[in-house]
Structures are given as structure tokens and as C-alpha cells.
Amino acid sequence: MINFALIPVAGRGTSLLPLTKSQPKEMLPVADKPIVQYVVEELITCGVNRLLFITGNGKTAIENHFDINPELIEYLRLHGREDELAELAFEREAAEYCYMRQRYQLGLGHAVLCAAPFVGKQSFVVALGDTILGLKQRSMIVQRMITLYENCQHIDGIIAVDNVLPYEIDRYGIAIQGRTIDADGTFELKDLIEKPAVGSVQSCLAVAARYVFSPLIFDYIKDTPPDENGDIQLTDAIRRMLANGRKFYGVTMNQSERRYDIGSFESYFKAFADFAAIAKV
Ligand code: G1P
């Protein structure tokens, strides 16, 4: 059973400046928790509890957040502040946290490739640290993807997809659907295009920040040339695998599984407002 995930959190977060000048985008609060805590809790709920963060310059707040802070615990205990102590329960989740740094910011594909020596020959999950899946209930899509992957010996990966509006396709990797595997929204992936121009493709199925991969992906990332911005795209590596006859499935998110991709102030404010509305205060 796959229980290992890479969580890339090395991006510069420039779309949220000045907020992200000296703090990681993934640590921005969404109601009462930082974004990345939602990601970690979702993975643990899906049975994925070996977590390797791909961090970078200026991201040490993430390591501090998931570490145990004995002094703070002791202080709260001494002062009988049980309610506040309960807010630190996530520190004791049954998870292993590891960290490595992407030393050069060369894109998402490169960030994933950095972990190759540590992943070895196991299949693994990639969960982008700036996207929350699920509002009132955590999304279980990663668990569904793992189960499907393990039941299909002949595929090399699975991507989660979500329906977006036609004018939004230039913000995402867009999946071109092939053969239907299951009426619940599982399909064979025909092609994948990173941020296509609006109107250039018919599909509105966006890559929803969760992936399952066989370690073969590393061989393809290694040979993937950078795009015009100098980024080695994970999407391009998947696309090259498809072109080489490798098989991927897409799994569509349920209507009830809300997706919050914190990529702009608009999406950040929306996420904050939705989560604040249901937070206990
Ligand atoms: C990345 C991926 C893109 C995916 C998106 C999901 O883009 O490259 O394919 O759809 O995450 O959030 P980014 O948001 O880093 O530009």
C-alpha cells in the first residue's frame, strides 16, 4: 500500500506578494490553520503518512510548524490551558516528516526529481502544498487514486482532475480524456497540456494538484527540457510518458470535494472566507 508522498513547497509564491515576501505561501492562514496543514491532514486521512517536503529558500517555518514544541506544550499544560493544548494535537499525528531542499528553482518537475534518490523504487503520491481539497470533509481522492493504482498493474500513474471554467484553463495542466474506464469519472489519459491558451483546447479538466506515480516518472523528468520560462514541468514529463505508450488514468473529483488552489489573492480570500465561515470560534 502506497503511504509515501512528496509535498513540493519550494515555489516563490510571487503571485501573493507582498504577503509572501518573508513567509512561505504554504504557511498562510486559511481560517485557523496554515494551508499546508490541511494538505498534511488530508494525506494522513488517506493513509499516507510518510511525508517528504521539497522545500527551498525561506521555507523553514514549515519545518517548525510540524515539529513538536515541548516548551509550548509545557507552558500550556502548566497553566491549565487545555483548549489551546488541544490545538496542537496535529503535532502528534502518526506521521513521519522529512525535508529536503530544491537548491535551484527550476520548476515543479525538477522539485519532484530532487527526491528521486530518496524515493527509490517505490510508487508514491505527489500533493502540491498550496492546494486544499475538501471543505467540511477532507477529500478522499488520494485514497481512491491509490486503490485504483494498486488494482491496475499496467498503469504508470494517476492524476486527479477537476472541472474548471473555459476561461480558467490557462492556469492549469489540462487533461485530454481518452477511453472511459468508469462512469464515476475515471478515464484513460490521452494527453496533458500545461496551461494552454484559452480556447485552444476543448477540455476543461484541470490537474487538481494530486498525483500517483511509478518511479519511472524520474527517468522522464530527467530528459524533459525546460519550458520558455526555464521551468521543468511535471506535466511535460507525463506528456512524454504518454507519447511513449505509457498509461495514465485520470480520476475526477466529486462535486462535494471542494478545491482551493491558493494561486491568487482572489482564490486565497475565497478559501479564507469559506473556511472561516465554518470554523469554531
Ligand atoms: C501546477 C501544475 C499544473 C496544475 C496546478 C494545480 O501549476 O503545473 O499542471 O494544474 O499546479 O494547482 P502551478 O499552480 O504551480 O502554476
Side-chain angles (χ1 to χ4, degrees):
M1 172 87 181
I2 297 175
N3 67 350
F4 181 72
L6 304 182
I7 310 181
V9 288
R12 294 186 184 89
T14 48
S15 56
L16 294 174
L17 282 170
L19 209 48
T20 48
K21 178 162 182 264
S22 63
Q23 64 182 329
K25 163 173 148 178
E26 298 79 8
M27 284 301 292
L28 294 180
V30 167
D32 54 353
K33 291 179 210 169
I35 297 166
V36 68
Q37 189 178 332
Y38 292 96
V39 178
V40 164
E41 289 175 348
E42 172 207 326
L43 291 172
I44 293 173
T45 307
C46 289
V48 179
N49 60 1
R50 292 165 57 227
L51 309 172
L52 174 55
F53 293 81
I54 318 294
T55 79
N57 202 6
K59 302 278 181 167
T60 45
I62 297 174
E63 297 169 38
N64 293 338
H65 186 71
F66 290 105
D67 218 354
I68 291 179
N69 185 337
E71 282 157 33
L72 181 57
I73 293 172
E74 187 57 20
Y75 171 84
L76 295 174
R77 201 166 274 151
L78 265 177
H79 292 81
R81 291 161 72 164
E82 295 302 323
D83 287 356
E84 287 165 5
L85 203 53
E87 296 300 338
L88 296 181
F90 76 94
E91 287 182 354
R92 292 182 296 281
E93 291 269 23
E96 287 169 36
Y97 301 100
C98 305
Y99 301 88
M100 65 171 301
R101 285 169 75 120
Q102 183 188 20
R103 297 168 74 197
Y104 301 99
Q105 295 220 330
L106 297 174
L108 178 59
H110 178 262
V112 170
L113 183 60
C114 288
F118 302 94
V119 174
K121 298 206 178 310
Q122 63 188 317
S123 296
F124 60 100
V125 170
V126 171
L128 306 189
D130 62 357
T131 296
I132 302 172
L133 299 188
L135 177 61
K136 290 182 187 143
Q137 275 181 326
R138 290 172 196 160
S139 164
M140 298 302 288
I141 197 164
V142 168
Q143 192 180 68
R144 299 202 297 279
M145 291 161 73
I146 291 173
T147 305
L148 179 65
Y149 181 86
E150 290 180 341
N151 288 337
C152 302
Q153 300 299 327
H154 60 289
I155 59 173
D156 288 291
I158 302 185
I159 55 164
V161 299
D162 189 25
N163 277 289
V164 295
L165 295 167
Y167 69 83
E168 295 175 323
I169 63 167
D170 60 354
R171 303 177 201 167
Y172 298 99
I174 297 295
I176 310 297
Q177 186 168 346
R179 188 168 60 97
T180 299
I181 301 296
D182 196 313
D184 68 356
T186 305
F187 58 88
E188 206 174 297
L189 192 60
K190 194 167 164 197
D191 199 1
L192 196 60
I193 305 159
E194 184 66 12
K195 304 192 175 86
V198 171
S200 64
V201 294
Q202 291 302 310
S203 173
C204 289
L205 290 173
V207 177
R210 303 291 182 268
Y211 313 76
V212 175
F213 288 116
S214 90
L216 192 66
I217 187 75
F218 295 124
D219 294 344
Y220 283 82
I221 300 175
K222 271 182 207 142
D223 294 335
T224 298
D227 66 9
E228 67 279 7
N229 299 317
D231 288 336
I232 298 170
Q233 294 290 355
L234 188 55
T235 299
D236 291 343
I238 299 170
R239 188 174 204 195
R240 294 182 59 250
M241 286 180 82
L242 292 170
N244 219 3
R246 295 286 167 179
K247 263 197 174 47
F248 274 78
Y249 283 173
V251 169
T252 311
M253 291 180 64
N254 293 337
Q255 294 278 324
S256 59
E257 291 173 313
R258 298 287 301 276
R259 182 178 56 86
Y260 295 91
D261 173 9
I262 319 288
S264 64
F265 279 108
E266 192 190 357
S267 58
Y268 175 47
F269 295 160
K270 173 88 179 100
F272 199 107
D274 284 4
F275 279 88
I278 60 162
K280 50 176 176 25
V281 279

